Amino acid sequence: MIDAPAADAPVVVEIRQLWTSFPSAGGEQVVHRDLDLTIRRGEVLSLVGGSGTGKTVLLRQILGLEHPSRGEVTVLGQHPGQLGAKGAAKVGMLFQHGALFSAFSVLDNIALPLRELKLLPDDLIRDAALVKLQMVGLDPQQANKSPSALSGGMIKRVALARALIMDPPLLLLDEPTAGLDPESADGFCDLLRSLHRELGLTVVMVTHDLDTLFDLSTRIAVLADQHVIVSGLPREVIACEHPFIRNYFLGGRGLRAMEALHDVPAVAAAADPER
Ligand SMILES: Nc1ncnc2c1ncn2[C@@H]1O[C@H](COP(=O)(O)OP(=O)(O)OP(=O)(O)O)[C@@H](O)[C@H]1O
Ligand SMILES: [Mg+2]
């Protein structure tokens, strides 16, 4: 795991008493109910929860693409909706399904958020996109390729370069290693770790991948029963008696991933209270 920042580091994301509901056939589907979460500068907060528990929706609310039914989300002290065009400069997002435009080259995909702002001449925008391409470990020769000519790991890197084009202090990652083979996933985690260190980023990451989770998180928050039921270090999270947590962390896959952790005795004790 990456070391956590000081407990009094400045707050970057503050979520208070958030409710989200969508109209459904039976009336209303409540996705979030009284959800609270505070994220501080330098954290890599991983959000885990079952499918459909509202992880992606929460990231979209932090980004300002969706608005809660009730409650409050603030990013660096402002409502994401109020950040306007400047919002894109504060928050970068790697979307769950990559979301590159297939008709655009790699470089044009990375440059897109800057072009939309229409503030810089095109040669400067191209230079900025090339810098980001190299920052994510790709060769400038890839710049003119179509996304369809890239491997899964390269697509994730291009999507990451686009998320970072405005040098945002806050980066949101939705399943960054999903669909990658173990080697590419490890490479992507190494890249994220070094970017987090070099750029001083705050990261909110959704992941189902236990290796990624333990490799990168400074803190884990579990979304269940429509809110964050617990957040903390792995040993604090697994001490929580909740069926989702027992299945997720203390099933075979979870235990194998946690064997690599230094606090194995705590893990073993949680898995087998008789010990
Ligand atoms: N715009 C929308 N209109 C109606 N329902 C929605 C909308 N967006 C999301 N939902 C519903 O909200 C719930 C949470 O969706 P979300 O995509 O956040 O889940 P998730 O936790 O990211 O799941 P997964 O792990 O499968 O990606 C789902 O039941 C989804 O169908
Ligand atoms: Mg999702």
Side-chain angles (χ1 to χ4, degrees):
M1 291 187 62
I2 295 176
D3 288 336
D8 61 351
V11 171
V12 175
V13 179
E14 182 93 75
I15 299 172
R16 283 282 157 266
Q17 297 289 296
L18 175 124
W19 284 63
T20 306
S21 53
F22 295 110
S24 74
E28 207 185 28
Q29 179 197 6
V30 178
V31 176
H32 305 128
R33 183 193 305 266
D34 285 333
L35 186 151
D36 290 314
L37 186 62
T38 301
I39 302 163
R40 294 180 184 274
R41 188 195 292 166
E43 283 200 272
V44 181
L45 180 109
S46 288
L47 202 55
V48 301
S51 186
T53 50
K55 304 178 298 294
T56 296
V57 168
L58 196 62
L59 291 189
R60 290 171 61 84
Q61 289 168 337
I62 296 171
L63 191 61
L65 287 180
E66 285 185 41
H67 302 288
S69 316
R70 256 193 268 165
E72 198 168 63
V73 179
T74 53
V75 175
L76 299 162
Q78 283 182 295
H79 295 284
Q82 291 174 344
L83 297 169
K86 279 193 235 143
K90 299 234 165 100
V91 193
M93 176 145 172
L94 179 64
F95 288 90
Q96 186 163 7
H97 302 292
L100 295 184
F101 291 98
S102 55
F104 289 178
S105 70
V106 163
L107 198 78
D108 289 341
N109 265 288
I110 298 173
L112 192 69
L114 263 185
R115 286 222 169 96
E116 282 182 336
L117 277 187
K118 298 188 172 67
L119 289 177
L120 289 175
D122 203 59
D123 52 342
L124 280 187
I125 291 178
R126 285 185 65 84
D127 287 350
L130 272 172
V131 169
K132 290 300 183 287
L133 187 70
Q134 280 172 288
M135 191 187 260
V136 298
L138 292 178
D139 201 277
Q141 286 172 350
Q142 313 291 346
N144 295 320
K145 284 195 177 160
S146 150
S148 62
L150 303 181
S151 70
M154 287 159 91
I155 288 174
K156 293 279 190 195
R157 282 171 193 258
V158 174
L160 181 63
R162 185 175 62 189
L164 292 171
I165 189 70
M166 315 275 270
D167 298 317
L170 174 63
L171 180 63
L172 311 179
L173 306 169
D174 201 349
E175 297 283 1
T177 52
L180 299 186
D181 62 79
E183 203 180 322
S184 308
D186 284 348
F188 202 74
C189 285
D190 290 345
L191 171 66
L192 286 171
R193 191 184 304 99
S194 63
L195 289 175
H196 170 262
R197 192 177 50 234
E198 283 158 26
L199 304 177
L201 294 170
T202 304
V203 178
V204 186
M205 169 170 82
V206 170
T207 185
H208 281 114
D209 176 22
L210 288 153
D211 292 321
T212 304
L213 184 74
F214 294 129
D215 201 1
L216 295 180
S217 320
T218 60
R219 183 159 63 107
I220 298 168
V222 180
L223 194 55
D225 307 332
Q226 287 125 5
H227 63 284
V228 176
I229 54 168
V230 62
S231 87
L233 297 169
R235 71 179 118 79
E236 293 163 336
V237 168
I238 60 177
C240 179
E241 284 288 335
H242 189 280
F244 171 78
I245 292 179
R246 298 210 74 78
N247 281 331
Y248 187 78
F249 290 98
L250 303 175
R253 283 175 64 236
L255 284 177
R256 276 194 299 279
M258 281 195 285
E259 269 167 20
L261 283 180
H262 53 270
D263 54 350
V264 173
V267 173
D272 179 7
E274 306 284 298
R275 276 169 65 136

